[in-house]
Amino acid sequence: SPARAGQFHVATAQDLQTALFTAKSNGEDATIYFAAGIYSGTFTFTSSEAQSLSLLPETNAPTGQVVLSGSLSLTALSAPNVTVQGITFKSGNPALTINTYGTVAFVGCVFQSCGKGFVVQGASAFTCSGSLMTGNSGLGGYITGCGSASLDHNTAQSNTGGGISIDGGVSGGTTYAMNGPVSFVGNRFVNGISGTPLNIYAKSTTVVSNNIFLGNNGGAMYAYDGGAGGSAAWVVNNKFIQNTGGGTVLFGARSAVCQGNTFQGNSGGQIAYLLGNYLNCANNLFVSNSSSVLLVGTGGTTNWVVNNTIYGNTGTGMQLQPGSWNYIHNNILWGNVSGDIVVGTGGNLRSLYNN
């Protein structure tokens, strides 16, 4: 029931659908407050108004006690922003779909035991903080056709179809790279059952820093720019531990920076595969991985591999397929079963002070 114009307080599934129906054409920004409880059903909101929409728990609702079981679809192309906070979504496929040209923000949400957790399409900017995607049979979250994406301090765990995937949209059966910047900071990707925990298809600046990838069965992360080039991909200060199916893959036509990461106890596939116009791989630790570790691919104009420690791995420590100029300096390589370093033919190689 409306408390005052633009504000709605709901306690039942019927209250929620009524609030969504009224809010779509009331000419005002709408905030829907949820009392603690389970809201079961298929809910829709379609509006052409240029008004914001917020879905929030009541201030006295205990954390985790507002549950939407089913699906919620929000189409608000002209809304300047859509905010979803503190709601647990279960069972839908996807459980939450948002289609808008405005901004979208998730704060403290849970997507649990769904097919696909959420889909956000077309937003000018998407942010997600402090949210959990767990036990989903599909992707935890899919972000497509958005202007930018920033996700921090979220957890994707025990999902079957992968953790989080980003692209620039699909048209005529072709998937395109996102044009705007992408940032993942301080997230956890753990115990993924299958599928890649983090998949990024973007050609602007991509930053992946201070995340943990632990115990996943589909590798750890994959970042690709569609071969179009663009700003650098930065993978910095992450921990890739005990993943099967490989570690991290960065490739395309742009620059790639891989610094200060730990790759430990991973198996299957290439632990780190780097390919780009300019590569900087520095100050990383590769230890006790059960496959070949570092592959610097062809296609780069300049490759720097500096100050890395690579030891105790089952496969080859470093495989270098030279680009134009390759600088291999101050690395420690030892105890790698299939050899410490293998250098391909072609290009120019300068190797100094490696042990």
Side-chain angles (χ1 to χ4, degrees), residues 53-191:
L53 176 65
S54 298
L55 308 181
L56 311 171
E58 294 280 10
T59 56
N60 63 353
T63 300
Q65 295 303 303
V66 173
V67 178
L68 195 152
S69 179
S71 64
L72 172 61
S73 177
L74 306 175
T75 300
L77 298 182
S78 299
N81 53 73
V82 176
T83 300
V84 183
Q85 179 175 330
I87 298 175
T88 296
F89 295 87
K90 292 185 176 182
S91 304
N93 186 26
L96 175 61
T97 303
I98 299 179
N99 189 358
T100 182
Y101 298 140
T103 65
V104 174
F106 293 169
V107 181
C109 294
V110 176
F111 301 89
Q112 181 177 4
S113 302
C114 308
K116 186 178 292 180
F118 69 82
V119 175
V120 175
Q121 181 172 351
S124 59
F126 172 67
T127 61
C128 182
S129 179
S131 295
L132 171 66
M133 292 134 272
T134 182
N136 300 294
S137 60
L139 275 169
Y142 177 44
I143 303 148
T144 181
C146 296
S148 65
S150 177
L151 294 90
D152 70 277
H153 299 92
N154 304 286
T155 297
Q157 67 180 32
S158 304
N159 299 296
T160 299
I164 299 173
S165 183
I166 291 180
D167 63 43
V170 180
S171 178
T174 300
T175 302
Y176 294 91
M178 178 185 282
N179 289 318
V182 174
S183 174
F184 282 84
V185 178
N187 302 284
R188 289 171 51 85
F189 300 87
V190 297
N191 298 328

Side-chain angles (χ1 to χ4, degrees), residues 225-239:
D225 67 0
S231 300
W234 294 78
V235 177
V236 181
N237 296 332
N238 303 283
K239 296 185 184 300

